[in-house]
């Protein structure tokens, strides 16, 4: 009897020990899965890679999301922080529209260029519109120039109109990015132009605005959701700025070289620098579904549009 009781106790102890072991293994698996998930997801929970093998894209990073619910359709290196160049202007446009909505400024608010902005206007290497010292320009015409022509000087004047100075506006951009939990963001200019700084050794280094493809997609979604009227500007292929023709760098728009009626694109913004390569944040509404795509680091102007078409095909099919 005593021997049977001892045997029962030993079996019970083994069973208890086995349960404890299985419980520990289960907890360990959960922890490992969490860290694997965390390594492939950004602070916003969006994956770095998702169906990346389904589309062969010759770019550094890309993402496609459903604009309605932010669901990720495709992602390739989408949490990697990379230069975004003039796609920065989408955040500049968002804060301009926000200031107008809050009645801090209006479309008729005027601003005059500084000498520094005039100097920028005279540089043929930078996209811009012709400006004159002492002349006043409305927020409406500067906004159009920033989004259609990708005019850097116009974007800087918008910053002054909204916040009083480029520095104040840059801080506002950073605050907005933090509010949206975009932690892969580095902002140094309001328009996306690279900035040259001297480091502690006296050497000149070039620094650029950086974001991940996911960050850029979130900004684009916020823009078209909160201010859908932006699309009435980003879909314009050609327009005038005080008798100067502006042609949109988004060549997928109707009337431009990469237009295809199968891709009814109505925005949003290209970006190009030596460091960024050819970038493009695109949006298209088809069959009552709006998709936002982001391409970072394409090889050239034509490739950013061809790769975007591949991504749109996959997203809608």
């Amino acid at each position: 009897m005593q021997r049977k009781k001892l045997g029962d106790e030993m079996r019970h102890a083994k069973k208890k020990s086995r349960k404890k072991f299985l419980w520990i293994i289960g907890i360990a698996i959960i922890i490992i899965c969490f860290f694997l998930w965390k390594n492939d997801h950004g602070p916003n929970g969006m994956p770095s890679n998702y169906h990346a093998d389904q589309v062969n894209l010759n770019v550094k990073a890309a993402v496609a999301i459903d604009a309605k619910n932010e669901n990720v359709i495709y992602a390739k290196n989408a949490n990697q922080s990379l230069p975004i160049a003039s796609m920065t202007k989408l955040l500049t446009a968002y804060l301009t529209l926000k200031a107008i909505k809050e009645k801090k400024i209006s479309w008729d608010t005027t601003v005059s260029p500084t000498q520094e902005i005039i100097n920028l206007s005279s540089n043929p290497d930078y996209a811009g519109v012709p400006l004159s010292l002492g002349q006043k320009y409305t927020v409406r015409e500067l906004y159009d120039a920033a989004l259609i022509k990708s005019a850097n000087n116009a974007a800087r004047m918008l910053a002054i109109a909204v916040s009083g100075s480029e520095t104040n506006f840059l801080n506002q951009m950073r605050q907005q990015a933090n509010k949206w939990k975009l932690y892969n963001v580095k902002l140094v200019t309001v328009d996306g132009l690279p900035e040259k700084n001297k480091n502690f050794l006296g050497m000149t280094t070039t620094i650029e605005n950086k974001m991940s493809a996911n960050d850029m997609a979130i900004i684009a979604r916020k823009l078209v959701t909160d201010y859908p009227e932006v699309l009435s500007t980003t879909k314009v292929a050609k327009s005038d700025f005080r008798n100067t023709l502006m042609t949109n760098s988004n060549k997928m728009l109707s009337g431009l070289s990469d237009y295809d009626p199968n891709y009814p694109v109505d925005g949003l913004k290209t970006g190009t620098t030596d460091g960024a390569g050819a970038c493009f944040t695109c949006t298209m509404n088809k069959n009552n579904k709006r998709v936002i795509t982001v391409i970072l680091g394409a090889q050239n102007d034509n490739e950013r549009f061809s790769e975007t078409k591949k991504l749109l095909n996959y997203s809608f099919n």
Side-chain angles (χ1 to χ4, degrees), residues 187-203:
L187 295 166
V188 293
T189 62
V190 302
D191 52 9
L193 280 178
E195 190 172 81
K196 294 187 182 300
N197 279 351
K198 285 190 175 180
N199 62 21
F200 68 98
L201 294 174
M203 298 169 61

Side-chain angles (χ1 to χ4, degrees), residues 157-231:
M157 289 177 69
L158 284 176
I160 294 170
V162 172
S163 300
S165 72
E166 290 179 46
T167 301
N168 290 343
F169 191 82
L170 191 59
N171 287 331
Q172 194 175 341
M173 293 171 81
R174 291 166 178 161
Q175 289 166 8
Q176 189 64 65
N178 285 334
K179 184 178 179 181
W180 287 334
K181 295 180 172 58
L182 309 182
Y183 300 125
N184 289 313
V185 171
K186 177 184 179 182
L187 295 166
V188 293
T189 62
V190 302
D191 52 9
L193 280 178
E195 190 172 81
K196 294 187 182 300
N197 279 351
K198 285 190 175 180
N199 62 21
F200 68 98
L201 294 174
M203 298 169 61
T204 300
T205 57
T206 300
I207 52 177
E208 297 197 46
N209 291 350
K210 289 185 175 182
M211 291 186 194
S212 68
N214 279 335
D215 292 335
M216 202 69 246
I218 290 170
I219 290 174
R221 180 175 179 264
K222 294 285 187 184
L223 183 57
V224 300
T225 301
D226 295 350
Y227 306 107
E229 63 269 27
V230 72
L231 297 172

Side-chain angles (χ1 to χ4, degrees), residues 102-263:
E102 294 172 352
K103 301 191 185 308
K104 293 177 180 176
I105 60 171
S106 74
W107 289 116
D108 296 324
T109 297
T110 59
V111 60
S112 297
T114 63
Q115 184 61 58
E116 185 182 7
I117 290 175
I118 291 293
N119 295 341
L120 181 70
S121 306
S122 63
N123 191 328
D125 294 333
Y126 302 143
V129 288
L131 301 174
S132 300
L133 199 63
Q135 183 69 45
K136 290 184 177 180
Y137 300 87
T138 66
V139 165
R140 165 57 78 182
E141 58 188 343
L142 295 170
Y143 168 86
D144 287 349
L147 287 178
I148 298 169
K149 174 68 174 175
S150 194
N152 297 298
N153 49 11
R156 295 191 179 202
M157 289 177 69
L158 284 176
I160 294 170
V162 172
S163 300
S165 72
E166 290 179 46
T167 301
N168 290 343
F169 191 82
L170 191 59
N171 287 331
Q172 194 175 341
M173 293 171 81
R174 291 166 178 161
Q175 289 166 8
Q176 189 64 65
N178 285 334
K179 184 178 179 181
W180 287 334
K181 295 180 172 58
L182 309 182
Y183 300 125
N184 289 313
V185 171
K186 177 184 179 182
L187 295 166
V188 293
T189 62
V190 302
D191 52 9
L193 280 178
E195 190 172 81
K196 294 187 182 300
N197 279 351
K198 285 190 175 180
N199 62 21
F200 68 98
L201 294 174
M203 298 169 61
T204 300
T205 57
T206 300
I207 52 177
E208 297 197 46
N209 291 350
K210 289 185 175 182
M211 291 186 194
S212 68
N214 279 335
D215 292 335
M216 202 69 246
I218 290 170
I219 290 174
R221 180 175 179 264
K222 294 285 187 184
L223 183 57
V224 300
T225 301
D226 295 350
Y227 306 107
E229 63 269 27
V230 72
L231 297 172
S232 64
T233 302
T234 58
K235 72 180 181 182
V236 175
K238 294 183 179 181
S239 185
D240 284 329
F241 181 90
R242 300 199 176 189
N243 299 319
T244 298
L245 178 65
M246 300 188 296
T247 301
N248 204 315
S249 54
N250 175 6
K251 296 179 182 178
M252 290 183 71
L253 295 174
S254 178
L256 299 181
S257 59
D258 278 84
Y259 172 70
D260 184 328
N262 295 311
Y263 304 96

Side-chain angles (χ1 to χ4, degrees), residues 49-115:
N49 290 284
Y50 182 73
H51 293 178
D53 60 340
Q54 298 297 305
V55 189
N56 184 22
L57 295 179
N58 187 28
V59 299
K60 291 181 180 177
V63 71
I65 66 168
D66 187 321
K68 184 178 180 180
N69 50 30
E70 211 175 85
N71 284 346
V72 175
I73 301 166
Y74 172 95
K76 174 185 176 180
N77 302 328
N79 283 322
Q80 184 179 352
S81 186
L82 293 165
I84 57 166
S86 279
M87 295 195 304
T88 301
K89 294 182 178 77
L90 293 181
L91 182 52
T92 304
Y94 183 94
L95 293 177
T96 300
L97 291 166
K98 184 171 182 278
I100 291 170
K101 182 181 179 181
E102 294 172 352
K103 301 191 185 308
K104 293 177 180 176
I105 60 171
S106 74
W107 289 116
D108 296 324
T109 297
T110 59
V111 60
S112 297
T114 63
Q115 184 61 58

